[in-house]
Amino acid sequence: MKRRITRLFLSVCAAAVFFSCTKDRTETVNPTADGKVEATFTASIGTGTRVHDTSWDDNDAIGLAMLTHNGTEIVNNVYNYHYYTPRADGVFEPSTPSATVYFPQDGSAVTFRAYYPFYAGLDVDMLIPVSTADQTILPDIDLLSADHISGYSKQYPAVQLNFHHRLSKMIFVVRPQDDSDFIDPSELTLTVKGMYTKGTYDLRNEIMNIDVNSMADLTFPLCDDEDERYGIVMPRQAGKALPSNLQELTEAPSQHT
């Protein structure tokens, strides 16, 4: 029996880049025996910016860099420090004692750059390679970075980070015409054609550089919701049609734009 798809919805959630400044605050400072003050980090995720929801998962890991107040120079060689949230509560801890961030002891103010997921190969150039070619594990390619925040110092050590999505989330919702013509989602594959799949994200300046030679087709995985497919994609020029194939394993593909 030929099965018909009557509704195919496409929703693309594009991220915006936000900048914020610290507000006046009173904090408790507990220096170490040698006078060093540790930075503490809590982090939230902006509404609608994560594949699953706006919550962290157990052991999600971020990378941190501490820069001068104007954000131009790395301070105390603190770049790509590995922090994680073991209880998924947004409270981040250093992965090892040697990865602990301490503020400049002269009291100078700094700014932070932070991103997710952690990339061990990040260098002082702070350029993050980005690839959406493999959609199998979406959190692995769900690039987030935090607002640029300034004014933290050893007098104000409790750093609050707010992360936002820097790629786009694409949602396909597929429903049958009626209940008697039910389609098993596990029997479908969805391929979106002509998408950029590689680029480099400049964390210092919050700029995405897309490799225009990386055009390829992307196959989106089955999601928890039976009638939805999600994908993480690179920004794409507005106004162009988006061709896709929706195919049952035993039938010819259905073309969509």
Side-chain angles (χ1 to χ4, degrees):
M1 178 179 63
K2 182 64 178 178
R3 299 171 182 175
R4 292 177 292 169
I5 305 295
T6 60
R7 286 183 286 180
L8 178 63
F9 299 94
L10 170 63
S11 172
V12 179
C13 304
V17 179
F18 298 95
F19 299 87
S20 65
C21 299
T22 56
K23 299 179 180 179
D24 293 337
R25 51 194 178 267
T26 301
E27 298 175 5
T28 301
V29 179
N30 297 306
T32 63
D34 57 2
K36 294 191 297 184
V37 175
E38 178 181 348
T40 60
F41 296 95
T42 57
S44 61
I45 304 174
T47 302
T49 64
R50 191 163 167 78
V51 171
H52 302 292
D53 46 41
T54 57
S55 301
W56 297 105
D57 293 330
D58 289 346
N59 300 315
D60 271 349
I62 63 174
L64 290 163
M66 185 169 66
L67 284 71
T68 51
H69 184 69
N70 60 10
T72 57
E73 303 294 332
I74 295 172
V75 175
N76 293 347
N77 206 35
V78 175
Y79 69 90
N80 210 34
Y81 272 36
H82 184 183
Y83 273 62
Y84 75 113
T85 178
R87 294 166 296 278
D89 56 3
V91 177
F92 281 79
E93 304 174 2
S95 58
T96 63
S98 62
T100 302
V101 176
Y102 293 99
F103 285 100
Q105 289 188 272
D106 63 5
S108 57
V110 296
T111 185
F112 289 93
R113 300 289 189 268
Y115 72 95
Y116 166 93
F118 179 76
Y119 168 59
L122 189 69
D123 207 339
V124 292
D125 58 8
M126 299 174 68
L127 299 177
I128 304 171
V130 180
S131 175
T132 59
D134 185 354
Q135 297 277 322
T136 305
I137 305 176
L138 294 181
D140 287 354
I141 60 174
D142 186 16
L143 177 66
L144 308 176
S145 68
D147 294 336
H148 293 181
I149 49 174
S150 301
Y152 288 101
S153 67
K154 70 178 186 179
Q155 287 80 29
Y156 306 105
V159 181
Q160 297 176 343
L161 300 171
N162 188 29
F163 282 81
H164 299 277
H165 201 156
R166 301 313 183 192
L167 299 177
S168 296
K169 178 172 68 174
M170 189 176 293
I171 306 173
F172 283 89
V173 182
V174 182
R175 297 193 180 102
Q177 183 178 21
D178 53 58
D179 292 339
S180 62
D181 203 12
F182 179 73
I183 295 175
D184 185 350
S186 65
E187 297 180 0
L188 296 175
T189 62
L190 175 64
T191 301
V192 181
K193 295 180 174 294
M195 301 299 296
Y196 296 121
T197 61
K198 292 182 180 180
T200 303
Y201 189 70
D202 181 347
L203 181 65
R204 189 191 301 268
N205 300 301
E206 298 286 12
I207 297 173
M208 175 66 74
N209 298 301
I210 297 175
D211 180 357
V212 297
N213 297 314
S214 65
M215 195 77 75
D217 299 342
L218 296 178
T219 299
F220 287 179
L222 182 67
C223 302
D224 293 337
D225 293 329
E226 291 185 353
D227 58 359
E228 293 187 358
R229 301 265 177 166
Y230 296 166
I232 298 295
V233 298
M234 294 284 192
R236 178 186 169 93
Q237 183 178 350
K240 288 192 173 183
L242 185 66
S244 63
N245 282 343
L246 184 65
Q247 180 177 2
E248 290 186 74
L249 298 181
T250 59
E251 296 186 3
S254 175
Q255 301 288 336
H256 304 275
T257 57

